Amino acid sequence: MFGKPSYPSYQVFLAIGLSAIIVLILMPLFIKLMRREGVGQQIRADGPQRHLIKQGTPTMGGVIILVAMTITCVLLARWTPNLMIGFGATIITALLGIADDIESVAHGRSLGLTPKQKMIGLFIISVTFGLLAVNLCDIAPVLRFPGGLDINLGILSSTFVVNGMTIAVPWLYIVFVFLLMAGMSNAVNLTDGLDGLSGGTVLVVMLMMAAVAFSYSEVNLAVFAASIAGGLIGFLWFNCYPASIFMGDTGSLAFGSAFAALAVLTKTEVVSVVMGGLFVVEALSVMIQVCSFKLTGKRVFLMAPIHHHFEKLGWSETKVVIRFWIISAACAAIGFALYFQLK
């Protein structure tokens, strides 16, 4: 009934509304379950002291957003190869996030899986996704820049025959996909540090990616992005300050992966770095802080990621969140404008 509407745009807007409603219905039950089972967020001891009151707040809310995303895609989208591999990368990354959240809760610490374990998982996921995108979805191993500049990353390619199936491996492009997917997953994860921050910033980016996919004539990918955006709208009802639940690594890693997957599948890999500019800045702030401290013994920021730096300067949590939403929206808008330079 839902899968064949008369107007594709209706399909996308319905995905936003349906996913939001599902989250609004299921999340209160999930919050009660998490409280009963004692599944709560572990807060960094070296973080802002006012965050310590958040210790024990239910986490793993990303599970319900993913449930809403799945139901919405089943009802509204056609399962093309593009949608299947994008959806699959998101769900498998979410499983990695669930393992991280469970590890964190079980051991009562703010860190779950080790960075090495996360990177191994993200390496396997991103390489598999990249190979499937190139070989099943005919995604060209080319980076498209605004202004008509294209860089071919398929110049170093190998071909293998497995059980009669020819598999092309464009090595440079696969490396790039790994850097993009692992980078965005970790960047969104680092952004998830204040009530409503990651939810609102990812929401803006996903709405823009839905518009990109729709313009790219990939309605099913547009529904996919819209279903995540709708789920985040419902999630923010419970995640706004003071948060009743956090999305956890389950959500942040998964949605970073989904963002990267959508960028690859719509050939907007370069533009996505601009759209997700806030995430890039958050990740760079951590890298700069670590490198500076190791090389000079001095810190560039009062605390990293950078949203904590502004808290240390005296900004209220809500002021940081709203201003970062605005920055994220500006980055997404600039990226969307650049997207039309690719067409």
Side-chain angles (χ1 to χ4, degrees):
M1 177 176 67
F2 292 117
K4 299 179 180 179
S6 301
Y7 304 100
S9 57
Y10 160 82
Q11 196 172 357
V12 177
F13 283 108
L14 182 58
I16 296 173
L18 178 60
S19 187
I21 290 171
I22 293 171
V23 171
L24 288 169
I25 292 172
L26 296 182
M27 193 64 79
L29 302 175
F30 188 76
I31 292 173
K32 289 181 181 179
L33 174 63
M34 293 296 100
R35 284 177 177 161
R36 188 182 69 193
E37 298 298 325
V39 179
Q41 181 71 33
Q42 304 301 311
I43 304 299
R44 289 173 58 179
D46 62 339
Q49 292 301 299
R50 59 189 176 189
H51 285 200
L52 295 179
I53 62 173
K54 302 180 182 185
Q55 180 77 19
T57 300
T59 187
M60 295 175 64
V63 168
I64 299 302
I65 305 173
L66 291 162
V67 168
M69 175 194 78
T70 302
I71 294 173
T72 301
C73 287
V74 167
L75 292 176
L76 298 178
R78 294 181 177 86
W79 289 86
T80 61
N82 282 9
L83 176 58
M84 285 191 286
I85 67 169
F87 179 88
T90 302
I91 293 298
I92 296 172
T93 309
L95 294 177
L96 181 66
I98 288 174
D100 192 34
D101 285 331
I102 291 175
E103 183 76 9
S104 175
V105 172
H107 292 87
R109 59 185 186 182
S110 61
L111 298 176
L113 298 176
T114 65
K116 182 178 179 180
Q117 289 171 327
K118 282 186 184 179
M119 290 307 293
I120 290 174
L122 288 171
F123 175 80
I124 295 171
I125 294 166
S126 59
V127 169
T128 303
F129 168 79
L131 290 174
L132 290 173
V134 169
N135 289 279
L136 292 184
C137 304
D138 294 324
I139 298 298
V142 175
L143 297 185
R144 302 181 62 194
F145 289 80
L149 174 64
D150 290 346
I151 296 181
N152 183 11
L153 295 185
I155 54 176
L156 295 178
S157 298
S158 301
T159 302
F160 301 92
V161 178
V162 180
N163 294 328
M165 181 182 298
T166 301
I167 300 175
V169 184
W171 297 102
L172 292 178
Y173 186 68
I174 295 301
V175 170
F176 175 82
V177 170
F178 162 67
L179 294 175
L180 180 66
M181 186 166 282
M184 282 300 177
S185 295
N186 281 296
V188 174
N189 185 233
L190 291 170
T191 306
D192 188 27
L194 301 177
D195 296 356
L197 179 56
S198 59
T201 52
V202 175
L203 164 62
V204 169
V205 170
M206 282 299 165
L207 286 174
M208 208 60 69
M209 287 305 300
V212 166
F214 189 84
S215 175
Y216 198 70
S217 300
E218 285 285 354
V219 176
N220 300 296
L221 290 180
V223 169
F224 173 54
S227 67
I228 296 175
L232 288 166
I233 291 173
F235 172 71
L236 283 172
W237 183 268
F238 305 97
N239 184 239
C240 61
Y241 182 85
S244 300
I245 190 167
F246 302 126
M247 70 166 63
D249 288 4
T250 303
S252 58
L253 288 176
F255 302 139
S257 180
F259 178 39
L262 284 163
V264 170
L265 294 170
T266 58
K267 296 307 300 173
T268 53
E269 301 98 330
V270 175
V271 168
S272 71
V273 177
V274 178
M275 283 189 179
L278 179 68
F279 307 134
V280 175
V281 170
E282 290 272 15
L284 285 176
S285 70
V286 174
M287 295 168 65
I288 291 170
Q289 187 86 323
V290 171
C291 290
S292 176
F293 187 74
K294 287 185 175 180
L295 293 175
T296 69
K298 297 180 180 180
R299 294 180 171 86
V300 175
F301 305 102
L302 296 176
M303 186 176 179
I306 197 169
H307 55 260
H308 289 316
H309 171 78
F310 290 103
E311 278 195 291
K312 291 282 190 177
L313 286 177
W315 291 19
S316 68
E317 183 168 348
T318 52
K319 178 177 285 189
V320 176
V321 169
I322 291 173
R323 286 182 173 176
F324 274 43
W325 283 358
I326 294 170
I327 294 170
S328 180
C331 290
I334 293 170
F336 190 63
L338 290 174
Y339 160 70
F340 285 97
Q341 299 298 314
L342 301 177
K343 298 188 70 176

